[in-house]
Amino acid sequence: MSTARTSPEDHLPLTPAVFAILLALADGEKHGYAIMQEAREHVSMGPGTLYGTLDRLLTSGLVVETGLSEDERRRYYRVTQLGRRVLTAETARLQRAVAMAQDKGIRPVEVKA
Amino acid sequence: MKLDRFLRVYALSLCLYPKAFRERYREQLLDAARQAHDERQSGHGRLLLVHLRDSLGSGLWERISTPLRPLHAVLLSGAATLVLLVMAVTAQQIVRRQADVRPRQAVASIVARLGQGADEHMLQPREEISDLDWLRSDHTFAAIYNPAGEPIAASATLHGAFPHPPGAIFPRIRQTGRTVITWQPENRVRLALTVRPLPNGNYVVAGQSLLPFERREGALRLSFAIAWGLVLCAAGGLFFRRSAPYAPLR
């Protein structure tokens, strides 16, 4: 699906849901439920939120469908080159924000499980 | 909770999504719900609630993100218009009824004083109703009328004479029991009157200018008109805007 926004920076900043989905797909193609499982480590996400967000990522060319499972119940998704560049740019943006916070004396607090 | 029931309830909640979204993602949504159910040994009720909340939130979001169909735009505008109309009429009625509060209190006070033996001529004209300051104020006037509707005494005048509502209203008040009326003796003078018949055939009347209340009603009408315009603009915006269709199936 073509889009007018081809520069990674045009897509920034990403919403937490978009960032979590792209990050989940960064190490290879996955089906929807697997994406949701991994994304839930960062953000609260139900199936509707997942597929609504995935649809917008498909439309803007950051993600593509790669095929169906053997039983044809699951569709697999993969991040595109543009999607990977957007993810990289967002990670850099977040790193700059973290560095700025640290310069101001903000330190992460250890959270006990 | 058994898988069948879990999926049946969840499938119902998918009606919250636009039809195009359902057609595109229904099977995947159900599959994700099925896997989430299978991975848990217990807590399926809570899981279902989480899924239903997700359907409500993301379903409504998808609907808002999708252009309205013409019929839905018309229905939404019509329903909003109806709701605003009912609210506007109700608010107008409430404001109008506020104009009857002071006259009702004044009538009750005069009736009590008459009952204690006071004379009708305790009412002495001290104010002029046609005066713009009086019309803009929250002052009340009171008057007593004989059974024929002729004024006996009043606490205010209208162009120098006792206020004299049409005589026909008095017998009608006895017949109908309706004690609150609006009287417009001339163009810019509109009064909220409360009338109470007395056992001796006389009538006690008290009134207040409607001008301050009509100003409030005007402000309310303007607010509702603006709200109506905004609702129509919102419905028009949802109808006319373009959005990308859902990604096609491969």
Side-chain angles (χ1 to χ4, degrees):
Chain A
M1 189 77 47
S2 66
T3 172
R5 296 192 302 174
T6 50
S7 164
E9 283 71 26
D10 291 343
H11 296 267
L12 304 189
L14 300 182
T15 64
V18 168
F19 182 72
I21 290 171
L22 290 179
L23 193 58
L25 291 172
D27 56 354
E29 64 176 29
K30 291 187 175 71
H31 57 76
Y33 186 69
I35 298 170
M36 192 166 69
Q37 287 286 77
E38 195 172 324
R40 275 181 179 161
E41 291 176 18
H42 315 290
V43 292
S44 156
M45 186 181 291
T49 309
L50 169 74
Y51 286 106
T53 310
L54 262 180
D55 188 83
R56 283 177 269 284
L57 292 175
L58 286 165
T59 307
S60 53
L62 304 189
V63 164
V64 287
E65 267 186 20
T66 54
L68 289 162
S69 61
E70 281 184 12
D71 59 6
E72 297 196 345
R73 282 208 324 216
R74 289 175 195 161
R75 290 177 178 274
Y76 284 81
Y77 300 89
R78 177 174 60 78
V79 68
T80 61
Q81 279 301 317
L82 175 62
R84 189 169 287 278
R85 282 161 54 208
V86 169
L87 183 60
T88 305
E90 176 68 356
T91 305
R93 191 186 70 81
L94 292 174
Q95 276 175 336
R96 283 195 299 276
V98 170
M100 193 181 290
Q102 286 174 339
D103 284 348
K104 294 186 178 189
I106 308 294
R107 294 282 180 272
V109 179
E110 278 190 26
V111 180
K112 289 179 183 176
Chain B
M1 186 184 291
K2 286 187 177 174
L3 178 63
D4 279 358
R5 182 185 288 180
F6 180 88
L7 287 180
R8 221 173 21 245
V9 177
Y10 180 60
L12 273 179
S13 78
L14 299 185
C15 295
L16 292 167
Y17 292 92
K19 190 179 173 193
F21 187 90
R22 280 202 309 273
E23 286 173 352
R24 174 69 175 81
Y25 291 107
R26 180 187 160 84
E27 288 311 315
Q28 293 178 82
L29 288 164
L30 288 174
D31 185 55
R34 187 181 295 115
Q35 289 181 76
H37 181 278
D38 289 348
E39 279 194 1
R40 287 190 179 210
Q41 298 299 316
S42 61
H44 291 139
R46 193 172 181 284
L47 182 68
L48 180 61
L49 281 179
V50 170
H51 276 63
L52 294 181
R53 196 177 61 189
D54 176 62
S55 291
L56 184 65
S58 56
L60 292 181
W61 175 251
E62 291 300 331
R63 282 202 181 271
I64 291 169
S65 312
T66 308
L68 282 179
R69 281 184 284 175
L71 177 65
H72 290 172
V74 170
L75 287 176
L76 179 67
S77 307
T81 301
L82 193 66
V83 168
L84 283 173
L85 200 62
V86 169
M87 286 170 68
V89 170
T90 306
Q92 197 172 1
Q93 289 294 316
I94 289 170
V95 171
R96 173 61 187 82
R97 281 179 192 170
Q98 285 172 347
D100 297 323
V101 172
R102 281 170 165 269
R104 197 178 300 132
Q105 290 169 344
V107 163
S109 163
I110 289 165
V111 169
R113 284 160 70 188
L114 289 171
Q116 289 163 2
D119 182 59
E120 285 94 345
H121 295 287
M122 65 183 162
L123 298 176
Q124 291 297 319
R126 292 192 177 88
E127 293 181 294
E128 170 57 41
I129 289 173
S130 62
D131 186 44
L132 197 56
D133 285 341
W134 190 89
L135 289 172
R136 286 175 176 163
S137 76
D138 60 355
H139 292 187
T140 57
F141 80 93
I144 299 172
Y145 297 85
N146 68 18
E150 295 298 326
I152 300 170
S155 66
T157 55
L158 180 59
H159 299 302
F162 285 154
H164 196 172
I169 67 168
F170 293 105
R172 199 180 309 154
I173 280 164
R174 270 197 203 277
Q175 286 165 9
T176 62
R178 190 182 167 203
T179 58
V180 174
I181 56 171
T182 299
W183 177 39
Q184 183 170 347
E186 57 192 69
N187 248 348
R188 62 192 182 96
V189 181
R190 280 169 51 79
L191 304 168
L193 297 185
T194 296
V195 185
R196 172 129 22 128
L198 297 176
N200 65 3
N202 287 350
Y203 298 89
V204 175
V205 175
Q208 180 174 3
S209 169
L210 281 171
L211 194 60
F213 300 94
E214 286 170 344
R215 284 186 173 174
R216 274 180 235 168
E217 285 173 17
L220 270 174
R221 272 197 297 273
L222 181 64
S223 310
F224 280 110
I226 290 171
W228 187 54
L230 290 175
V231 165
L232 292 190
C233 286
L238 288 173
F239 173 58
F240 284 113
R241 93 202 139 111
R242 291 180 176 184
S243 78
Y246 291 114
L249 284 168
R250 287 161 60 94

